[in-house]
Amino acid sequence: MQKVQNNRAWWLVLPVFLLVAFSALIPLMTVVNYSVQDIFGPGQAFFVGTEWFKEVLTDERLQDSLIRQFIFSGAVLLIQIPLGIGVALMMPKSGIKGSLCLILLAIPLLIPWNVVGTIWQIFARGDIGLFGWGINQLGIDYNYTGDTLDAWLTVLLMDVWHWTPLVALLCYSGLRAIPEAFYQAAEIDRASKWAVFRYIQLPRLKSVLIIAVLLRFMDSFMIYIEPFVLTGGGPGSSTTFLSQTLTTMAIGQFDLGRAAAFSLIYFLIVLLISWLFFTAITHADKEK
């Protein structure tokens, strides 16, 4: 006799679907609507089709912002992922020292983004900032407000300081989940620390690293507040990333049609690259 399933529990999920529809789908549909219209004011909109998408894809300013964004996000992943793993490996497994390390790591994550930008704005100044003053004392001409490379590296260093603890905490939780029996077997076999990391710790961290890579890529690719507070996108446009370009277009210039088209392309880029990351990592894991 076939058992009859009771699907009434789906009604419990209905409020979540309604909330998602209200908070995500409706704004998304609004952006899609704006992206195919030329808006002059309330009630003054004209259908333009794909004209805004064509202009956005050929806009040199947006292309330059996209290149800067890819370089920045790539640098963030190349630095923060290995550094986070290294910090997690050096942390005590238990005891008061381990708890103290967790507290210290969590402090940067608790600071609001605009405050982080303000902290580094002062910290990196050459006259009153400890970091900027110290670099200048080493004989290096450092000025993040006037030199494009200094500004870019300062934004990168600020992001590393702010978000590497997140990667470290994720990796630490993954390391703590490894059964002690694995380490005991490695000790019996007299495995080196590198062998323990290569064959025990790293494979067990893959699921955590997938989350870390996706989170850090998506967040770094959408960064806005910290560089805006620190450098305002300058000098010139050296630290003007996609989100700031989009904000200037939508709010500063009130060009809602182009901004809507650009935001959709922006969303699809983040979605596509995140999917590629996830697929590549999971596929490599299955092959092994």
Side-chain angles (χ1 to χ4, degrees):
M1 184 176 179
Q2 187 176 3
K3 186 177 179 181
V4 179
Q5 291 185 343
N6 187 351
N7 294 321
R8 286 182 297 178
W10 284 102
W11 289 100
L12 299 175
V13 189
L14 183 60
V16 178
F17 281 113
L18 294 176
L19 181 62
V20 171
F22 180 76
S23 62
L25 294 181
I26 293 178
L28 180 61
M29 291 301 101
T30 303
V31 172
V32 172
N33 181 43
Y34 282 3
S35 67
V36 294
Q37 297 189 65
D38 193 358
I39 301 173
F40 294 96
Q44 296 179 338
F46 300 92
F47 181 78
V48 295
T50 59
E51 180 181 343
W52 295 133
F53 291 94
K54 294 177 182 178
E55 287 195 14
V56 165
L57 291 174
T58 56
D59 192 328
E60 294 184 359
R61 182 184 58 173
L62 298 180
Q63 292 174 359
D64 292 341
S65 296
L66 181 62
I67 293 173
R68 283 192 295 269
Q69 193 70 69
F70 274 121
I71 294 174
F72 178 77
S73 296
V76 163
L77 293 179
L78 289 175
I79 295 174
Q80 294 184 16
I81 299 301
L83 185 59
I85 295 174
V87 172
L89 289 172
M90 292 186 295
M91 289 176 60
K93 291 184 178 180
S94 60
I96 189 171
K97 291 183 179 179
S99 300
L100 182 61
C101 288
L102 291 175
I103 294 173
L104 292 176
L105 278 176
I107 290 177
L109 301 176
L110 299 176
I111 303 175
W113 295 336
N114 58 329
V115 178
V116 170
T118 304
I119 291 174
W120 277 85
Q121 190 180 49
I122 299 173
F123 185 54
R125 285 184 56 172
D127 50 354
I128 61 173
L130 181 61
F131 176 76
W133 179 83
I135 294 295
N136 287 328
Q137 290 300 308
L138 295 176
I140 302 174
D141 186 15
Y142 169 80
N143 181 14
Y144 78 90
T145 61
D147 186 88
T148 57
L149 180 60
D150 290 345
W152 197 89
L153 292 176
T154 304
V155 173
L156 178 62
L157 183 61
M158 175 181 61
D159 195 81
V160 169
W161 173 83
H162 192 193
W163 290 110
T164 299
L166 175 64
V167 180
L169 291 175
L170 289 172
C171 293
Y172 183 76
S173 64
L175 292 173
R176 294 287 292 144
I178 300 176
E180 193 65 29
F182 285 84
Y183 295 108
Q184 294 174 354
E187 187 176 356
I188 293 174
D189 294 338
R190 295 183 179 180
S192 62
K193 291 184 178 181
W194 169 249
V196 171
F197 172 73
R198 173 67 179 81
Y199 298 105
I200 296 178
Q201 295 172 327
L202 187 59
R204 294 276 173 169
L205 284 176
K206 281 189 175 180
S207 59
V208 173
L209 289 178
I210 290 175
I211 298 174
V213 168
L214 291 178
L215 286 177
R216 289 308 307 127
F217 168 76
M218 289 187 292
D219 186 70
S220 65
F221 206 79
M222 297 183 292
I223 189 171
Y224 172 73
I225 297 178
E226 297 99 315
F228 178 75
V229 174
L230 177 62
T231 64
S237 59
S238 59
T239 57
T240 302
F241 299 111
L242 283 175
S243 56
Q244 188 173 343
T245 304
L246 175 60
T247 303
T248 302
M249 186 184 301
I251 300 176
Q253 302 172 356
F254 200 70
D255 197 350
L256 298 181
R258 294 178 73 242
F262 178 41
S263 63
L264 287 177
I265 296 173
Y266 194 3
F267 169 72
L268 291 176
I269 290 174
V270 174
L271 191 65
L272 176 62
I273 297 180
S274 298
W275 178 79
L276 290 176
F277 267 126
F278 179 79
T279 303
I281 296 174
T282 53
H283 181 70
D285 191 28
K286 288 180 181 178
E287 286 185 347
K288 295 183 179 181

